[in-house]
């Protein structure tokens, strides 16, 4: 009670075991679509701003795009590698 759990953004092309631990610690998770820029501009960016901080588990290519979009919105990002191709991004 009273504890803020981050919004989780998940690249659903990843296996569930890549993000299962993060899902248990988050309030809810939102799948990231193939067209990430369109999704961000279509409302995901506003959702992240409203529920900051957010946590994303994504492939390396989506990590770069997501970080750029978040920074463009004035949010800080911190990236760490979970595996060779998977990154964890803290937003906000």
């Amino acid at each position: 009670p009273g504890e803020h759990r981050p919004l989780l953004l998940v690249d659903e092309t990843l296996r569930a075991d890549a993000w299962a631990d993060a899902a248990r610690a988050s309030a809810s998770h939102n799948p990231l679509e193939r067209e990430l820029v369109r999704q961000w501009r279509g409302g995901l960016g506003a959702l992240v701003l409203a529920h900051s901080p957010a946590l994303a588990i994504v492939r390396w290519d989506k990590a770069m795009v997501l970080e750029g979009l978040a920074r463009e919105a004035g949010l800080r990002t911190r990236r760490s590698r979970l595996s060779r191709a998977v990154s964890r991004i803290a937003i906000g």
Side-chain angles (χ1 to χ4, degrees):
E3 181 184 327
H4 181 72
R5 293 170 26 159
L7 178 69
L8 178 64
L9 308 175
V10 176
D11 182 346
E12 289 200 327
T13 64
L14 300 175
R15 293 185 3 216
D17 62 344
W19 52 272
D21 288 339
R24 285 190 284 280
S26 69
S28 65
H29 79 275
N30 291 5
L32 294 176
E33 298 171 2
R34 178 174 253 168
E35 294 292 331
L36 182 54
V37 174
R38 181 177 292 159
Q39 183 182 9
W40 182 271
R41 301 215 192 290
L44 180 62
L47 182 66
V48 170
L49 279 169
H51 293 92
S52 184
L55 178 64
I57 309 294
V58 294
R59 288 187 342 250
W60 68 271
D61 54 338
K62 282 189 179 177
M64 293 175 59
V65 173
L66 188 58
E67 282 182 308
L69 291 166
R71 288 182 186 147
E72 182 180 84
L75 296 167
R76 290 182 158 192
T77 63
R78 289 179 314 280
R79 184 186 339 177
S80 56
R81 283 177 53 178
L82 298 178
S83 70
R84 183 174 174 209
V86 179
S87 295
R88 175 189 186 272
I89 303 174
I91 304 170

